[in-house]
Amino acid sequence: MALLVRLLALALALALGPAATLAGPAKSPYQLVLQHSQLRGRQHGPNVCAVQKVIGTNKKYFTNCKQWYQRKICGKSTVISYECCPGYEKVPGEKGCPAALPLSNLYETLGVVGSTTTQLYTDRTEKLRPEMEGPGSFTIFAPSNEAWASLPAEVLDSLVSNVNIELLNALRYHMVDRRVLTDELKHGMALTSMYQNSNIQIHHYPNGIITVNCARLLKADHHATNGVVHLIDKVISTITNNIQQIIEIEDTFETLRAAVAASGLNTVLEGDGQFTLLAPTNEAFEKIPAETLNRILGDPEALRDLLNNHILKSAMCAEAIIAGMSMETLGGTTLEVGCSGDMLTINGKAIISNKDILATNGVIHYIDELLIPDSAKTLFELAAESDVSTAVDLFRQAGLGTHLSGSERVTLLAPLNSVFKDGTPPLDAQTRSLLLNHIVKDQVASKYLYHGQTLDTLGGKKLRVFVYRNSLCIENSCIAAHDKRGRYGSLFTMDRMLTPPMGTVMDILKGDSRFSMLVAAIQSAGLTETLNREGVYTVFAPTNEAFQAVPPEELNKLLGNAKELANILKYHIGDEILVSGGIGALVRLKSLQGDKLEVSSKNNVVNVNKEPVAEADIMATNGVVHVITTILQPPANRPQERGDELADSALEIFKQASAFSRASQRSVRLAPVYQRLLERMKH
């Protein structure tokens, strides 16, 4: 049998061929997109590709899966058309594109791919056509007819007025003296052209787009007898300057030039690599308030962070952007680079005024607005872009603005604007003291906070950190948005005003007349010391109303039995601190009595054992108090629940007994167990 299995496996492998046993080379992004286009077009016949055309333009793209379903390029709607895939043609009377294009030399292939203008200009030179028709192996990146037509008239005139020098050199720059297919075109590589060995910059993006000096490949891998033709959407020109050299010669970068020199980043911008510089013009710098600009320019670290935020780690040509994508800067931040029609966008704003200025070490896009990173901003500037403006105005009015705009290392715990929907507190000494306790003495980051950590405030209080499954809280207030780290200060957006603890749980209960009966009960039960000492408790505190709702006879009986009273009270005390923001849907909190409390939150209402909490989050140095208007009963004190539990247990045992009886007669041994359970249920 084993021999037969091995023979069958061998036969199957031989039938499927080498592809079944050997993994082929990984496909490039371009090949994967082309493959997807073929998949979408196969219902129309062999070698048919689905192509997306942007409505109102001549732009066409092979489609990937995401684009196929969205039917948009740069936010513009597209229509699907079906065309022959590269290298194939139609046959009259037959479905699809069953015939491979006939191989001919490079010159004739130019006409096949739609670059007849390149053919025409090749004819005008004396040397190039014989070379394209003769022996050898070449690659030509051939501009489309539309690309030639879009050249400025003065540029085209200068080429055709001197065909054997200017035009010949321009055409040779589009050529490589060997065959180069798309699977060899790697991101960031340089090919040596046939014009003075000048480099051609190649970029092959994850979305399948390939650019040549930022010109997009339209039709690729058209084989010829003496090479290969790739159709591109622009006429490309030689690149001579690096990014730093371009900055130095452009008048519009005067301020940028000075900033780069002051930061020392000129060595980066003139060095090796492939970067994208989002270059702010002089006008971009002028839009910034003078005070802010002077502060950044006078602070080497902030200045370097500012400039690093304008340099992407890889070269990004405009033609490669067909949807939004996140790109990392040299400073480690991410920018959302996208497009809207023909306009490029940064973080959703169309601020790029000139694009695709090529350099030997990358590409430059002019921008007319500064991209100031959080790391170069003051707390005031961070808050201006967040939903905490009301709180920040309070700090300013309270005379605490110097803590938020200077070089003091602090963390601001700023409540959301919605916290003040009913108005702001009066600006008295108490409010100012409270605001000081919203400023932590050090610059911290939420990702480094841990449960039980304490933070010192400018108001002299120690604030505790509580880490829950889905929230991170500081005392009663939880973080509502990602924190922002500025030059000296960090901004935490909080979901409510923070109330520092003002005493132990026992201090809080004694100081509130609503709990006079609870305080007496705690003292009778001998729990005063417990609630006064250091610890982590959550106390669901019944008000006087809760005690008064109990029938007098039952209440007197309870208060007269210290042991039972202590048992009931311990059931109201959880063994850890649980603030309302940390509850989520349901939390089972173990009580000091031993049983668990079911604490839930819905629509900003906290419930314990399905009873609503009247007031939540009164913070104490050793816990938190939640006010309730009923007395909670432990499960053992609830007859109905006890009966339900016993009934469930009996039912489960009966089910097991039935299963056992079908297999054997051993169920007889369980009869005494049934009897005991039934007896207990009667009582």
Side-chain angles (χ1 to χ4, degrees), residues 89-104:
E89 65 178 353
K90 292 181 175 294
V91 173
E94 295 193 31
K95 187 177 181 180
C97 305
L101 286 171
L103 278 183
S104 54

Side-chain angles (χ1 to χ4, degrees), residues 393-409:
D393 284 341
L394 269 177
F395 283 99
R396 186 184 284 110
Q397 293 167 24
L400 302 177
T402 55
H403 297 295
L404 310 185
S405 59
S407 58
E408 188 177 3
R409 295 282 182 184

